[in-house]
Amino acid sequence: MGFGKGHMVVMCLAACWPFAACNAEDVSTVDEESSVDSVSSEESDASWWLSSHASVSKTIGSWSSNIDSFLSGKQSQQATDSNLEIRFGSVLGNSERSGFFDFHVQLQLPNTQDRLRLVVESEADSLAPESIQGESSQQDSVVNSALKSSITAAVRYIKQDMGLDIDAGVRVDFPLDPFLRLRFRQGDTSGAWNWWQKQEAFAYYSKGVGARYGVGLGYAVSPSLGMGSDFGVTWLDKEGLFYVRENFSVQHRLNEKNRLGYQLSFLQSGENAIASDSFLYNVQYERLIYKDWLIGQVKPQMTYNAEDNYDGVFSLTLSLAILLGPEYLH
């Protein structure tokens, strides 16, 4: 099942997206006499996924409006920013192949004081993002990643003037795992500079409690070029460990459809003394394949682990991101 037809389809989509991108909107390059038949054929073949995208996007808006009306007792009249993001793909390296599948759903409830969200998302196995070198949900195939994903459902209360949000929910597992997360975020922009910091505390019934602190600094060289660095540390009570990470990145927007990112990361961990675990660097290329909701991503990466005497390991991640919701209906 892990390497069945579903996996092959995803591999083909992820590996061939640049070619799809070249043909998605450049029909004008085809000879005029055959363009009408060609466009009709493409529209017929593509109609199923376009109609599916529209149908799901409308459903997300409908769910959001109905839930909002039920909780507030008022008919929802406002446009909603509710959305669903799906990202999946394959990771290739050292004659091995694996897959991943992540999703995030956020339903906005504008009549309920515009402070509540219903959030359903896949969650990484590790509560310390500082320890993750690749994809958080990586398994031997995309299908297995989807089947084994840990799913959380929570009500999120937002207090924007304080930079506060609180998640109270449950991790869908057997038995169910209730949790509570509390986050504060501050930040500011001054000219070309911007900074942010975030404090977080969380408690899971089965995984215990933990705390996280992060701080970051960014500089806009130009409207299309930016640089930044950030530092994060997480403490997990059950493991009794600190996880630390420093990231240095450059973001370059080539044009409206293409973007490049460069990142260098250093990872450490320890109980009393912090020791180096690994470092990695990667380049990520993103392209809007269709309108503003279908995105292709390619990311080559080199990873050096201390336990392997820092021998470099190469990997290539090919992925697609699909954005759904009322704002993506055109």
Side-chain angles (χ1 to χ4, degrees):
M1 181 176 179
F3 295 93
K5 294 182 179 179
H7 181 76
M8 294 179 64
V9 170
V10 172
M11 281 292 295
C12 290
L13 284 172
C16 299
W17 68 262
F19 303 100
C22 294
N23 295 323
E25 298 177 329
D26 299 333
V27 183
S28 59
T29 58
V30 184
D31 185 78
E32 291 184 0
E33 295 182 358
S34 60
S35 62
V36 175
D37 293 338
S38 176
V39 172
S40 299
S41 176
E42 289 183 7
E43 289 180 348
S44 176
D45 293 339
S47 61
W48 69 269
W49 59 274
L50 292 176
S51 61
S52 297
H53 180 272
S55 177
V56 175
S57 295
K58 291 177 182 177
T59 300
I60 292 171
S62 176
W63 284 354
S64 178
S65 298
N66 292 338
I67 295 173
D68 187 32
S69 299
F70 175 77
L71 293 178
S72 66
K74 302 177 182 178
Q75 188 65 34
S76 181
Q77 302 293 335
Q78 302 181 40
T80 177
D81 292 330
S82 299
N83 59 79
L84 163 63
E85 178 181 350
I86 299 173
R87 181 170 174 266
F88 61 92
S90 295
V91 182
L92 313 175
N94 288 355
S95 70
E96 296 180 355
R97 180 176 62 185
S98 58
F100 63 92
F101 180 91
D102 297 313
F103 73 93
H104 175 88
V105 184
Q106 182 169 263
L107 300 181
Q108 183 187 28
L109 309 175
N111 283 336
T112 314
Q113 298 182 341
D114 198 25
R115 292 180 179 177
L116 289 182
R117 303 285 190 276
L118 297 181
V119 180
V120 180
E121 59 191 347
S122 57
E123 185 178 74
D125 291 333
S126 174
L127 295 178
E130 292 80 7
S131 65
I132 298 175
Q133 297 179 352
E135 300 297 332
S136 60
S137 61
Q138 199 167 321
Q139 298 287 338
D140 58 354
S141 72
V142 176
V143 175
N144 283 339
S145 176
L147 293 175
K148 295 180 180 180
S149 292
S150 297
I151 300 173
T152 61
V155 176
R156 177 171 296 170
Y157 173 79
I158 300 172
K159 185 71 171 174
Q160 293 183 351
D161 56 345
M162 296 178 56
L164 166 69
D165 64 76
I166 302 173
D167 289 355
V170 62
R171 187 169 179 265
V172 182
D173 205 343
F174 297 99
L176 296 177
D177 191 2
F179 66 86
L180 181 67
R181 290 191 294 243
L182 174 68
R183 286 178 285 221
F184 282 96
R185 184 183 177 99
Q186 306 85 37
D188 196 10
T189 300
S190 178
W193 292 92
N194 68 87
W195 69 273
W196 60 266
Q197 67 173 352
K198 182 169 66 175
Q199 305 87 34
E200 178 178 350
F202 50 87
Y204 286 75
Y205 179 77
S206 65
K207 291 191 171 186
V209 301
R212 178 178 298 119
Y213 175 77
V215 61
L217 179 67
Y219 177 73
V221 180
S222 69
S224 60
L225 180 63
M227 300 183 296
S229 64
D230 61 87
F231 166 86
V233 55
T234 294
W235 172 74
L236 299 180
D237 174 53
K238 272 203 168 183
E239 298 181 15
L241 294 175
F242 289 90
Y243 294 91
V244 181
R245 182 173 185 141
E246 302 90 20
N247 298 315
F248 302 90
S249 62
V250 176
Q251 299 294 330
H252 187 195
R253 181 166 56 84
L254 304 176
N255 50 46
E256 292 183 355
K257 290 190 174 184
N258 298 282
R259 183 169 63 181
L260 275 174
Y262 312 87
Q263 181 169 302
L264 171 64
S265 301
F266 298 90
L267 289 69
Q268 304 94 39
S269 67
E271 184 175 1
N272 297 314
I274 303 299
S276 175
D277 289 333
S278 62
F279 70 92
L280 59 89
Y281 58 85
N282 59 56
V283 179
Q284 179 165 302
Y285 170 65
E286 293 187 355
R287 178 179 171 85
L288 283 177
I289 298 176
Y290 189 81
K291 294 187 177 178
D292 59 349
W293 55 263
L294 183 60
I295 304 168
Q297 302 169 334
V298 177
K299 185 175 74 174
Q301 176 173 301
M302 290 295 298
T303 305
Y304 301 83
N305 287 303
E307 61 183 16
D308 297 327
N309 295 318
Y310 294 104
D311 289 335
V313 177
F314 175 79
S315 63
L316 176 64
T317 303
L318 306 172
S319 61
L320 284 174
I322 304 173
L323 309 178
L324 304 103
E327 63 181 299
Y328 301 107
L329 290 171
H330 301 284

